[in-house]
């Protein structure tokens, strides 16, 4: 069966680009329009775009997905990343002139001490309020989830003693359709310095769907006119995403952009690789110099990280929810 997904770049941008086959409507499923508000840091901008597109394509089944990319204009960008956004993405102002079944909003690299002091805060809160009544469901990922609950219910995130970084086994808490047929264990990548707690979420009326004994709350939801889905983790990460982040942080340590050597991602590298990296860490702390990155050992991931299987279930069920709602009229504006 051919999977159709069109990447729509907006009125003033290049034409639709199909991932497979023709754009002709030869599929039996309903057409869905999905927007990605990609605010990830410059180094992860294109990778995040590819990861979500790949997930949607794999989850779409017989449906045609029209996929629009946006980014908050107030998010700080390098000239190269800014050029990519301006040439490849739709303008955020176009969002309010189109109908979207679903929206995915990623986090941005923090530059201010508090979330509500970030330069993009006003744009983001306007987006949150718009999505409540103009989408059937919106996914808020990682830092965007923290920002959304802060704006909606003044739930403050809390600084963790150390970075939550690795592959964590999560359990499903309810029989919600979003986690139907989820793999057991439900393995999800997390990479964050802060968290919102289950107690605070429950007191504010959120429903936790998955949690980890080590990483805490994973997926949680709240209903408005739109169903808001929140990820504290990164189910969209591919197998090498955590490795790229870890190597980036080692590089920042060696160039003295950070003072603390990064901890190994949890349950990620195999035992032999962890031993080699531990020896490299001792050397790096003793001979701290950028040139040491040339001596990083070969890296091998654990065989059981199961990257992508949890995300596949989540996004398949999310698209099924959107498809079931597609015939129902959106709430009056």
């Amino acid at each position: 069966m051919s999977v159709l997904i069109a990447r729509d770049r907006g009125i003033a941008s290049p034409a639709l680009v199909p991932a497979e086959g023709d754009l002709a409507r030869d599929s039996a499923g309903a057409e869905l329009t999905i927007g990605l508000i990609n605010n990830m840091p410059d180094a992860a901008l294109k990778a995040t775009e590819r990861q979500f597109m790949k997930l949607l394509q794999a989850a779409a089944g017989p449906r045609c997905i029209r996929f629009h990319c946006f980014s908050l204009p107030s998010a700080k960008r390098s000239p190269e990343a800014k050029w990519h956004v301006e040439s490849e993405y739709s303008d955020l102002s176009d969002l309010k002139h189109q109908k979207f079944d679903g929206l995915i909003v990623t986090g941005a690299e923090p530059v201010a001490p508090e979330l509500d002091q970030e330069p993009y805060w006003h744009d983001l809160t306007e987006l949150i309020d718009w999505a409540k009544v103009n989408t059937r469901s919106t996914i808020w990922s990682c830092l965007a989830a923290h920002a959304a609950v802060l704006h909606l219910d003044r739930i403050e995130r809390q600084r963790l003693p150390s970075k939550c970084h690795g592959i964590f086994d999560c359990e499903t808490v309810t029989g919600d359709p979003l986690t139907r047929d989820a793999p057991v264990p439900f393995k999800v990548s997390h990479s964050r310095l802060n968290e919102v707690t289950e107690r605070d979420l429950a007191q504010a009326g959120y429903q936790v769907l998955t949690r980890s004994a080590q990483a805490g709350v994973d997926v949680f939801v709240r209903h408005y006119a739109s169903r808001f889905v929140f990820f504290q983790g990164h189910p969209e990460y591919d197998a090498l995403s955590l490795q790229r982040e870890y190597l980036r942080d080692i590089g920042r340590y060696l160039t003295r952009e950070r003072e603390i050597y990064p901890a190994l991602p949890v349950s990620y590298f195999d035992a032999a690789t962890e031993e080699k990296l531990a020896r490299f860490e001792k050397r790096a702390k003793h001979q701290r110099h950028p040139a040491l990155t040339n001596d990083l050992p070969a890296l091998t991931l654990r065989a059981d990280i199961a990257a992508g299987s949890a995300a596949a279930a989540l996004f398949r069920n999310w698209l099924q929810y959107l498809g079931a709602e597609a015939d129902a009229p959106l709430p009056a504006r």
Side-chain angles (χ1 to χ4, degrees):
M1 178 180 295
S2 176
V3 177
L4 301 177
I5 181 165
R7 178 179 169 187
D8 195 337
R9 299 183 177 122
I11 298 171
S13 301
L16 300 178
V17 178
E20 287 188 27
D22 193 355
L23 284 176
R25 289 194 182 190
D26 60 358
S27 68
E31 179 177 292
L32 297 174
T33 302
I34 308 294
L36 170 65
I37 316 295
N38 187 1
N39 306 309
M40 290 293 278
D42 295 350
L45 182 70
K46 294 180 183 179
T48 300
E49 178 186 327
R50 290 193 299 268
Q51 287 163 3
F52 278 113
M53 183 180 287
K54 184 177 179 180
L55 273 175
L56 291 171
Q57 182 175 356
R63 297 181 180 88
C64 176
I65 305 294
R66 294 194 173 274
F67 185 64
H68 302 245
C69 287
F70 304 86
S71 185
L72 295 179
S74 45
K76 292 186 179 296
R77 296 285 180 205
S78 68
E80 180 183 358
K82 186 176 181 181
W83 178 87
H84 177 73
V85 168
E86 290 177 349
S87 60
E88 298 291 320
Y89 285 19
S90 298
D91 191 279
L92 192 64
S93 62
D94 294 337
L95 187 70
K96 298 178 181 180
H97 302 302
Q98 302 180 51
K99 293 182 179 179
F100 284 82
D101 297 292
L103 203 63
I104 302 165
V105 184
T106 76
E109 189 164 18
V111 297
E114 302 294 337
L115 280 176
D116 58 6
Q117 297 171 9
E118 295 288 352
Y120 53 78
W121 182 252
H122 177 72
D123 287 342
L124 183 57
T125 55
E126 277 196 346
L127 178 64
I128 294 167
D129 294 336
W130 180 87
K132 284 172 69 174
V133 294
N134 289 280
T135 66
R136 305 184 196 282
S137 181
T138 295
I139 288 173
W140 305 92
S141 178
C142 202
L143 186 140
H146 293 170
V149 299
L150 175 62
H151 174 63
L152 293 166
D153 294 288
R154 304 309 303 173
I155 297 176
E156 298 275 356
R157 63 182 187 164
Q158 299 179 13
R159 187 77 171 189
L160 293 167
S162 59
K163 186 175 183 179
C164 178
H165 189 222
I167 304 287
F168 297 92
D169 289 351
C170 300
E171 62 174 351
T172 55
V173 180
T174 70
D176 191 272
L178 190 67
T179 57
R180 184 176 56 247
D181 299 325
V184 179
F186 190 81
K187 293 180 179 290
V188 179
S189 299
H190 281 251
S191 182
R192 50 189 167 82
L193 296 168
N194 302 275
E195 70 169 353
V196 289
T197 67
E198 186 165 354
R199 181 185 65 180
D200 288 345
L201 292 171
Q203 288 178 348
Y206 293 80
Q207 181 184 22
V208 173
L209 302 190
T210 64
R211 69 164 75 95
S212 163
Q214 290 180 279
V217 174
D218 179 45
V219 181
F220 54 102
V221 297
R222 182 154 192 174
H223 286 269
Y224 299 95
S226 173
R227 189 181 205 220
F228 276 13
V229 179
F230 305 86
F231 296 158
Q232 277 213 104
H234 286 279
E236 82 281 3
Y237 271 13
D238 60 36
L240 294 178
S241 293
L242 290 173
Q243 176 174 300
R244 289 191 291 266
E245 286 191 9
Y246 179 65
L247 295 179
R248 176 204 66 193
D249 288 345
I250 289 176
R252 288 178 175 176
Y253 172 81
L254 293 175
T255 58
R256 302 184 184 273
E257 295 177 62
R258 57 177 291 160
E259 289 306 313
I260 299 175
Y261 195 91
L264 282 167
V266 174
S267 301
Y268 187 64
F269 294 114
D270 69 7
T273 296
E274 289 192 349
E275 289 180 7
K276 290 185 288 186
L277 287 169
R279 290 194 296 270
F280 181 85
E281 178 180 350
K282 289 182 180 178
R283 183 182 172 195
K285 288 179 175 178
H286 180 66
Q287 305 175 354
R288 192 173 179 182
H289 191 279
L292 277 183
T293 56
N294 297 323
D295 297 334
L296 274 162
L299 306 178
T300 304
L301 306 186
R302 283 176 50 158
D304 62 344
I305 62 172
S309 57
L314 286 172
F315 277 81
R316 181 172 59 249
N317 293 333
W318 186 60
L319 291 182
Q320 287 176 353
Y321 173 83
L322 294 178
E325 296 288 313
D327 291 332
L330 285 169
R333 291 169 172 76

